Amino acid sequence: MISFMQNSGLYWCPLGGNNIDQISGHCYQYTGVLQEKNRAKYSTILVDLGKFDNHQALGIKNSVAAVSDIRNVLQKKELNLKGLFLTHSHPDHLNGIVHYIRAGYKLPTIYGGRYTKFILEDLYSHYQIGKTKQPTFIIINDGDRIKCGNIEIEVLSSSHTCFDAFGFIISNGTTSVYHSGDMKIDQTTYFRKPTNLKTLASRKNKINYVVGDFYGIDNDGMAWREADVLKTLVKIIKKSRKKKIFLPVYPTHAEMYILAFLAALKLKKNVVFYGDDDFYTYLNMIKNYGINFEKIAKNRIKIVEGVPDNIDDLDNNFVVIGAFNDIGNWFKACSKDSFALITATTYFNPLKGQMNARNIRFITLEDYPILQGAGHAFLGDWEYILKILPNSIYIPTHCPYFIAEGFKKLAKEIGFTMIDPTPKNNYLFKLYGNQYQLLSSQPATWLVVKNDTSFTEVWQKATSGLGFLKRTCSRRRTQQKFNMMLCQRRK
């Protein structure tokens, strides 16, 4: 790869995240090159190092994960790897770190938010990674500027489903890229900073490229605002007229813990935080981050963790918030006084059976899709960004290749300038001002992790025919959506 990077410019290569038909395992390489006295000086950073969720489909027995192949970046000293910048704490952007450390690799200084540090430290503990093997971690905040050789990184807060989600403006003097991370426009986030649109707008004449989170691009309109999710929760719970409410949430999505809690508080219902060990781990990190549920409640409701010794102390008026697929008999749930909002699809089938067995009414995301919240921008969010950054070239990530390809016709109608060709993993682009060039399109590999911590190299291949993507965002279904959006805009 280094043989292609001889001239001054900013070089970008997705090592994970621009997959053939998946949406995980994110990792992106940025290398700044300056020519000085007929000699190229390199500075490199990585953004994110996640795990590939569908590792079983890669066909390696006893696999426990798969990660992007960054061995070349780690081993080529000429690239001068300066740091690993983390957009946020979700496994598909973070968990590759522990697998590289366990495999014996030394990683550079890590830059990320305070909450992200909590999550990473929990992973270190789980995998028994001692202090001496842990890379240096530097906590960053919205507005920070970090110099890494000839690359400068400016940190921007982003609206997402966890604390300390960031985007980065990455510059090398000739070229600037806004790397959005997982992001939506929503300015109504609770106890977290929203997407920093003010700084983004102030840099509009300097940003040449947008490496954007296109996960939700096939949904029209704006991503659901958290304020509207909260209003919907309150409305549904109030309309049910039931005293006992069961509300499972995804353990990693901190915003739903908070929204569910605020809905219970507004309706003066006591709160039971209940779930598995994973759930309590995340709940404790939320509290350590500074969210004091008792202080927010101001004695207006009772708050307990786990099933209380005497459920009657809660006056049979409570919301059970957590990661659970079994309500057992502890809560004395029955059709007369209970109702469920199954907002996490992971728990749908087990809870559906339990609710039906007890004749308890429930709703699911099919009834109210808004209840899953939204951590990623929809098309409307990106049209909003386009108004702020109309002259930038857009580089799609965090979506299957066929979605980015299918979006091209609609993008042209709306006014997006899209990079061409659509990047796949291991495509190397030179970015210089508003000029770009595809330099290399080598096949990509994944490193599959086995129980013995060894890596097995596997060529990237189509895998989603075995997973949920075929059911949720197939090529045919997304193309139909894009065609409908195109017709609407032409009207």
Side-chain angles (χ1 to χ4, degrees):
M1 180 183 288
I2 199 166
S3 62
F4 293 101
M5 297 188 294
Q6 297 299 318
N7 299 317
S8 294
L10 185 63
Y11 294 79
W12 175 79
C13 181
L15 300 172
N18 283 68
N19 310 335
I20 296 173
D21 59 356
Q22 291 285 317
I23 49 176
S24 65
H26 302 277
C27 184
Y28 308 89
Q29 175 188 342
Y30 290 86
T31 298
V33 178
L34 285 178
Q35 280 287 345
E36 290 186 356
K37 298 179 180 179
N38 298 320
R39 180 173 172 268
K41 292 189 66 176
Y42 298 88
S43 298
T44 298
I45 65 168
L46 294 174
V47 175
D48 291 334
L49 184 55
K51 72 171 184 176
F52 180 65
D53 293 330
N54 200 14
H55 58 89
Q56 297 93 340
L58 294 172
I60 303 298
K61 290 184 178 180
N62 301 319
S63 66
V64 295
V67 296
S68 303
D69 188 351
I70 65 168
R71 292 174 299 177
N72 180 65
V73 184
L74 293 176
Q75 294 167 352
K76 292 283 186 182
K77 291 186 178 180
E78 309 97 295
L79 288 174
N80 193 18
L81 179 58
K82 291 289 191 178
L84 168 58
F85 287 76
L86 300 177
T87 58
H88 64 291
S89 59
H90 286 161
D92 57 327
H93 295 257
L94 172 78
N95 284 36
I97 292 171
V98 293
H99 295 298
Y100 267 95
I101 294 173
R102 294 181 77 218
Y105 288 89
K106 184 177 180 180
L107 296 179
T109 299
I110 296 174
Y111 298 83
R114 185 164 62 93
Y115 183 76
T116 302
K117 187 171 187 284
F118 289 168
I119 302 293
L120 189 55
E121 287 174 341
D122 182 68
L123 286 170
Y124 289 154
S125 175
H126 176 79
Y127 286 101
Q128 298 181 325
I129 296 173
K131 290 281 187 183
T132 58
K133 293 184 178 180
Q134 298 172 18
T136 300
F137 193 106
I138 295 178
I139 293 175
I140 57 176
N141 294 285
D142 179 50
D144 285 353
R145 290 174 180 260
I146 300 105
K147 190 78 172 173
C148 289
N150 61 51
I151 295 178
E152 183 177 81
I153 301 93
E154 183 174 9
V155 182
L156 274 67
S157 59
S158 289
S159 299
H160 193 44
T161 57
C162 57
F163 300 101
D164 292 338
F166 298 120
F168 303 117
I169 297 177
I170 300 166
S171 308
N172 78 324
T174 62
T175 308
S176 290
V177 178
Y178 169 49
H179 187 108
S180 75
D182 289 6
M183 179 278 298
K184 58 179 176 176
I185 293 298
D186 186 12
Q187 301 290 290
T188 69
T189 50
Y190 293 89
F191 306 108
R192 309 187 315 284
K193 286 189 174 183
T195 299
N196 190 339
L197 299 176
K198 183 177 180 181
T199 295
L200 204 58
S202 70
R203 308 286 187 271
K204 66 179 181 180
N205 295 324
K206 297 180 180 179
I207 294 175
N208 307 100
Y209 300 87
V210 176
V211 173
D213 165 23
F214 273 27
Y215 180 98
I217 199 73
D218 58 330
N219 294 290
D220 209 350
M222 304 285 283
W224 297 301
R225 301 186 322 144
E226 290 184 23
D228 294 328
V229 176
L230 176 58
K231 289 177 185 177
T232 305
L233 278 172
V234 170
K235 179 181 177 181
I236 293 170
I237 294 173
K238 190 174 183 179
K239 188 178 179 181
S240 74
R241 298 186 179 180
K242 302 296 184 182
K243 290 189 173 182
K244 300 176 183 177
I245 305 297
F246 297 90
L247 210 165
V249 299
Y250 283 115
T252 58
H253 288 193
E255 100 285 6
M256 283 307 295
Y257 292 59
I258 294 169
L259 293 179
F261 176 81
L262 292 176
L265 180 62
K266 188 172 182 65
L267 295 169
K268 296 182 180 178
K269 287 185 173 293
N270 300 309
V271 167
V272 180
F273 286 117
Y274 165 69
D276 53 21
D277 291 342
D278 200 27
F279 168 76
Y280 292 118
T281 297
Y282 280 99
L283 178 64
N284 286 331
M285 281 189 277
I286 289 171
K287 293 192 292 185
N288 290 338
Y289 188 77
I291 304 301
N292 187 325
F293 292 103
E294 285 77 11
K295 186 175 180 179
I296 297 169
K298 295 179 180 178
N299 296 319
R300 287 173 287 178
I301 60 173
K302 298 175 183 176
I303 305 167
V304 297
E305 291 183 27
V307 182
D309 294 333
N310 187 0
I311 198 72
D312 293 331
D313 289 346
L314 300 180
D315 304 319
N316 284 326
N317 180 48
F318 51 80
V319 178
V320 181
I321 302 169
F324 55 87
N325 54 25
D326 177 19
I327 61 172
N329 295 314
W330 309 290
F331 299 109
K332 302 177 183 178
C334 64
S335 58
K336 181 180 178 181
D337 62 5
S338 302
F339 182 73
L341 296 82
I342 306 179
T343 68
T345 54
T346 305
Y347 312 111
F348 174 75
N349 287 328
L351 282 174
K352 178 183 177 183
Q354 291 186 51
M355 298 304 165
N356 284 335
R358 292 174 168 83
N359 293 317
I360 294 172
R361 285 199 312 116
F362 62 89
I363 64 164
T364 70
L365 296 179
E366 290 185 359
D367 305 302
Y368 291 90
I370 190 175
L371 292 182
Q372 67 184 318
H376 305 272
F378 290 1
L379 178 55
D381 297 77
W382 280 112
E383 289 180 293
Y384 192 99
I385 293 291
L386 181 62
K387 292 178 180 177
I388 298 175
L389 303 173
N391 300 316
S392 298
I393 296 168
Y394 287 77
I395 305 176
T397 62
H398 207 313
C399 68
Y401 174 80
F402 64 81
I403 286 185
E405 277 287 285
F407 177 64
K408 279 186 172 180
K409 192 173 181 180
L410 176 59
K412 185 176 181 180
E413 179 72 20
I414 295 172
F416 285 97
T417 301
M418 305 292 291
I419 200 167
D420 186 50
T422 300
K424 292 181 183 178
N425 286 343
N426 221 26
Y427 278 26
L428 175 65
F429 285 85
K430 178 188 176 184
L431 312 177
Y432 194 91
N434 288 330
Q435 304 295 316
Y436 65 86
Q437 181 184 1
L438 174 64
L439 300 178
S440 173
S441 55
Q442 299 296 320
T445 54
W446 291 103
L447 301 181
V448 180
V449 185
K450 298 171 70 173
N451 288 321
D452 58 3
T453 72
S454 63
F455 286 155
T456 301
E457 183 181 287
V458 178
W459 293 108
Q460 178 170 277
K461 60 183 179 180
T463 58
S464 70
L466 305 176
F468 76 67
L469 282 176
K470 188 175 181 180
R471 302 193 299 272
T472 58
C473 61
S474 68
R475 186 188 308 271
R476 178 180 57 83
R477 187 172 290 126
T478 52
Q479 195 57 61
Q480 287 175 342
K481 285 186 177 182
F482 286 140
N483 289 340
M484 289 175 60
M485 296 177 196
L486 184 61
C487 289
Q488 290 170 351
R489 278 150 182 79
R490 284 178 173 174
K491 288 179 180 179

